[in-house]
């Protein structure tokens, strides 16, 4: 299994945890300190480029360092575009709040009220999933649907159809009482966005543009990327700074499909802090109420926003991550200060944003653990040469080299996605030899054999992986697919 994606999924949860450490009285980080910090983080390979925006009652400030893409010296500016991932959920929930304040729907409407009659809605002890449940992540729906694409690790929801969305919700069986517990769900907010478009009788893109983007004059924010805008889009990168394709969330786009800029996101923060007059204020006020607990005792859920439980701090935040980008937006509603950090790498940057907002928040400079991978992937080595180089480096144990399963696993997937399946198999077999007690190495080898068409060896390796880790849901799905 390619293991970067689960880490990417955890970015937002880590960000929530970091919120809890904020203190109540601090000035924001100085301009010189911000410039030094982001420059060092790019040098340390946290990202190819980092853009920072700060807004308060005195106006806006912008800082950046690095490059928009590998083959260009162009530095990010306030209009450079990034995939903002789950910050999209703030926009979707703002639409929900706007429609609720205008009487077009109610937060407690069951989803069955607005879905086609042919779509079955989960019902447990007479309790249905409501629109509020979807926005506040209390629906009981999982993080992601189990009928997404397994062979696109950077883009698992690419091409996810409306039929697939309907099929999943119709078959879904809650494992606990609906509304009883917080569980973050990309699928749930994707479904929410679709329901809003059904109520409004117009496409989600159009609804978003008419209700939010035009009123707030957010001209850089879009659900798709045109040929012109593509010139302003920062190239996304994975954790080893390899370029990755742009994301496509299919029917679940309202959960994470937006592209935006520092300039536009600062506008959103201004509106949320009352620094910008807007007809959306009633919806913003509704959004910022508390709607229940999260999975942490010190954090509360709003409509999309996550609150610190201590109301005196006035902290609201949301982060996002895709296969090639990491983003974070946080506002202090008491001091009326907002910070946006956008990065064209999937490595998390929430600690940067929180440290800029409140310098007492802990910040640990990034240290790359991928020196071994970098050494093995330089040039177009024949796989036998790569294996010999690995053994040589392992024997010498150079300073700064970390030897773990991830290094070879990532290299193996480079080969696999490049169509060099035999090369990938050799690297994954080496990984099995080096780390025989790691369940993931067998999962990866099983996937390579599956793509090779060697069903027998694929099944054997998936079985071995699952025996070591019975919670390997992905492996179970692949094994079922192979057996069928």
């Amino acid at each position: 299994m390619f293991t970067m994606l689960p880490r990417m999924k955890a970015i937002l949860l880590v960000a929530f945890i970091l919120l809890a450490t904020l203190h109540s009285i601090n000035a924001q980080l100085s301009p010189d300190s911000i410039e030094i910090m982001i420059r060092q983080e790019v040098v340390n390979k946290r990202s190819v480029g980092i853009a920072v925006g700060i807004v308060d009652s005195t106006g806006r400030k912008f800082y950046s360092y690095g490059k928009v893409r590998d083959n260009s010296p162009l530095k990010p500016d306030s209009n450079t575009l990034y995939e903002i991932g789950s910050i999209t959920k703030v926009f979707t929930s703002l639409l929900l709040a706007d429609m609720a304040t205008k009487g077009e729907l109610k937060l407690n409407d069951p989803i069955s009220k607005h879905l086609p009659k042919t779509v079955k809605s989960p019902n447990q002890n007479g309790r249905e999933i409501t629109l509020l449940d979807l926005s506040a992540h209390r629906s009981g729906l999982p993080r992601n649907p189990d009928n997404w694409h397994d062979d696109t690790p950077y883009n698992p929801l690419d091409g996810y159809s409306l039929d697939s969305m309907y099929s999943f919700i119709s078959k879904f069986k809650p494992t606990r009482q609906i509304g009883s517990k917080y569980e973050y769900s990309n699928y749930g907010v994707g479904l929410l966005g679709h329901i809003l478009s059904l109520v409004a009788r117009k496409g989600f893109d159009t609804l978003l543009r008419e209700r939010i983007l035009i009123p707030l004059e957010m001209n850089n924010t879009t659900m798709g990327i045109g040929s012109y805008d593509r010139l302003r889009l920062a190239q996304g990168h994975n954790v080893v700074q390899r370029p990755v394709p742009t994301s496509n969330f299919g029917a679940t786009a309202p959960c994470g499909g937006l592209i935006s800029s520092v300039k536009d996101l600062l506008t959103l923060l201004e509106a949320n802090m009352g620094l910008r007059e807007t007809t959306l204020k009633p919806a913003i006020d509704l959004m910022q109420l508390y709607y229940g607990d999260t999975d942490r005792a010190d954090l509360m859920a709003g409509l999309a926003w996550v609150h610190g439980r201590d109301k005196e701090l006035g902290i609201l935040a949301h982060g996002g991550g895709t296969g090639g980008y990491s983003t974070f937006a946080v506002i202090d509603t008491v001091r009326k200060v907002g910070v946006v950090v956008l990065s064209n790498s999937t490595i998390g940057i929430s600690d940067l944003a929180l440290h800029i907002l409140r310098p007492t928040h802990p910040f640990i400079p990034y240290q790359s653990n991928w020196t071994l991978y970098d050494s093995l992937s330089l040039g177009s080595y024949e796989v036998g040469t790569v294996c010999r180089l690995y053994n040589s480096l392992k024997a010498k144990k150079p300073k700064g080299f970390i030897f773990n399963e991830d290094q070879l696993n990532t290299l193996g997937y480079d080969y696999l996605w490049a169509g060099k399946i035999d090369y990938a198999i050799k690297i994954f077999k080496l990984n099995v030899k080096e780390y025989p007690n790691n369940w993931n190495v067998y999962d990866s080898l099983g996937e390579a054999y599956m793509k090779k068409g060697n069903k027998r060896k694929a099944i054997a390796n998936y079985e071995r992986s699952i025996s070591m880790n019975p919670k390997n849901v992905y492996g179970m799905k692949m094994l079922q697919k192979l057996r069928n």
Side-chain angles (χ1 to χ4, degrees):
M1 180 187 295
F2 184 64
T3 55
M4 290 182 189
L5 186 65
R7 290 180 187 139
M8 181 269 288
K9 292 175 189 172
I11 288 172
L12 189 57
L13 296 179
V14 171
F16 292 171
I17 294 170
L18 291 172
L19 276 177
T21 66
L22 288 171
H23 300 286
S24 58
I25 302 176
N26 290 289
Q28 63 204 52
L29 206 62
S30 70
D32 286 346
S33 298
I34 294 171
E35 290 179 348
I36 291 170
M37 179 176 67
I38 62 175
R39 182 187 304 119
Q40 191 60 50
E41 290 307 285
V42 170
V43 171
N44 290 352
K45 297 187 175 182
R46 185 191 285 243
S47 179
V48 173
I50 297 175
V52 174
I54 303 172
V55 62
D56 58 23
S57 59
T58 66
R60 299 181 175 193
K61 300 179 181 68
F62 178 78
Y63 310 87
S64 72
Y65 192 80
K67 297 187 294 185
V68 171
R69 57 186 63 87
D70 296 339
N71 59 357
S72 170
L74 191 64
K75 184 180 178 181
D77 61 33
S78 62
N79 290 305
T80 299
L81 303 178
Y82 298 79
E83 294 180 5
I84 63 171
S86 287
I87 294 180
T88 303
K89 294 178 174 67
V90 175
F91 290 81
T92 302
S93 290
L94 182 53
L95 279 176
L96 169 66
D98 184 53
M99 296 174 77
T101 57
K102 291 175 178 175
E104 298 167 62
L105 48 71
K106 296 179 180 178
L107 294 184
N108 287 321
D109 280 350
I111 61 175
S112 62
K113 179 177 179 179
H114 303 294
L115 285 170
K117 300 302 180 185
T118 55
V119 179
K120 183 180 178 182
S121 174
N123 186 310
Q124 191 176 51
N125 300 324
R127 171 72 153 86
E128 286 191 61
I129 295 173
T130 67
L131 302 181
L132 175 59
D133 290 331
L134 295 178
S135 178
H137 300 287
R138 304 185 69 82
S139 64
L141 292 164
R143 174 177 286 269
N144 295 304
D146 62 9
N147 59 346
W148 63 357
H149 297 284
D150 301 299
D151 56 351
T152 53
Y154 287 113
N155 231 342
L157 290 165
D158 184 18
Y160 191 77
S161 68
L162 187 57
D163 285 343
S164 296
M165 176 179 279
Y166 283 167
S167 174
F168 180 80
I169 193 66
S170 294
K171 297 176 181 178
F172 178 71
K173 304 293 183 186
T175 59
R176 60 176 176 272
Q177 182 61 37
I178 294 170
S180 65
K181 185 178 179 182
Y182 178 93
E183 182 178 358
Y184 191 81
S185 176
N186 290 316
Y187 171 87
V189 180
L191 179 64
L192 172 62
H194 172 64
I195 291 174
L196 298 181
S197 69
L198 291 177
V199 174
R201 298 185 178 181
K202 56 185 65 177
F204 185 81
D205 295 14
T206 302
L207 182 62
L208 180 70
R209 188 168 59 252
E210 292 178 354
R211 296 290 189 97
I212 297 177
L213 303 183
I214 292 176
L216 291 179
E217 300 180 322
M218 298 177 68
N219 301 318
N220 288 332
T221 305
T222 177
M223 190 58 81
I225 190 74
S227 57
Y228 170 74
D229 287 338
R230 192 171 293 278
L231 299 176
R232 295 193 290 128
L233 179 67
Q235 171 67 58
H237 297 79
N238 63 17
V239 296
V240 291
Q241 298 203 345
R242 295 293 186 268
V244 299
T246 53
S247 299
N248 182 340
F249 287 76
T252 66
C255 83
L258 278 180
I259 292 167
S260 192
S261 66
V262 168
K263 179 182 177 180
D264 270 17
L265 291 179
L266 288 181
T267 297
L268 179 70
L269 298 194
E270 284 176 340
N272 272 270
M273 293 187 295
L275 296 178
R276 172 182 288 259
E277 291 187 8
T278 172
T279 56
L280 289 165
K281 188 179 186 307
I284 288 172
D285 290 343
L286 183 62
M287 259 190 89
Q288 293 185 7
L289 297 176
Y290 289 84
Y291 290 98
D293 298 332
T294 66
D295 47 1
R296 285 184 56 88
D298 44 8
L299 299 175
M300 297 284 287
L303 295 185
W305 289 117
V306 173
H307 303 246
R309 188 176 289 273
D310 186 346
K311 295 183 181 180
E312 292 183 2
L313 294 181
I315 299 297
L316 302 177
H318 211 295
T322 65
Y325 302 82
S326 182
T327 61
F328 199 77
V330 57
I331 55 180
D332 180 333
T333 59
V334 175
R335 293 166 54 228
K336 295 192 181 302
V337 180
V339 176
V340 171
V341 180
L342 305 181
S343 164
N344 57 338
S345 167
T346 194
I347 299 170
I349 42 76
S350 56
D351 57 329
L352 274 68
L354 294 169
H355 185 64
I356 290 169
L357 182 68
R358 299 237 171 113
T360 53
H361 182 274
F363 162 70
I364 301 175
Y366 180 75
Q367 290 184 323
S368 174
N369 296 324
W370 297 95
T371 307
L372 174 60
Y373 165 85
D374 289 339
S375 299
L376 297 177
S377 61
L378 287 175
S380 54
Y381 297 139
E382 190 273 332
V383 69
T385 303
V386 173
C387 292
R388 287 190 292 273
L389 177 59
Y390 171 83
N391 289 325
S392 174
L393 290 170
K394 183 184 176 185
K396 295 176 182 177
K397 289 185 170 58
K399 184 178 179 180
F401 279 63
I402 295 176
F403 289 79
N404 57 31
E405 168 262 332
D406 288 342
Q407 312 281 327
L408 290 173
N409 198 60
T410 302
L411 181 61
Y413 273 101
D414 283 351
Y415 286 134
L416 195 63
W417 296 332
K420 297 181 178 180
I421 300 176
D422 290 333
Y423 277 26
I425 288 174
K426 287 185 179 181
I427 294 298
F428 289 142
K429 287 176 71 175
L430 175 61
N431 217 13
V432 166
K433 178 183 176 183
E434 292 292 294
Y435 304 98
N437 297 321
N438 186 300
W439 66 270
N440 192 50
V441 299
Y442 297 98
D443 185 287
S444 299
L445 183 55
E447 184 173 346
Y449 276 127
M450 183 171 65
K451 290 187 180 295
K452 177 72 173 176
N454 192 328
K455 184 176 179 180
R456 179 180 61 82
K457 289 188 176 181
I459 288 175
N461 278 279
Y462 276 124
E463 286 179 339
R464 180 70 180 273
S465 175
I466 294 167
S467 70
M468 299 173 72
N469 177 19
K471 294 183 179 180
N472 180 7
V473 177
Y474 174 86
M476 294 177 191
K477 286 178 62 180
M478 294 301 99
L479 191 57
Q480 183 180 23
K481 183 182 294 185
L482 285 162
R483 286 173 172 165
N484 288 339

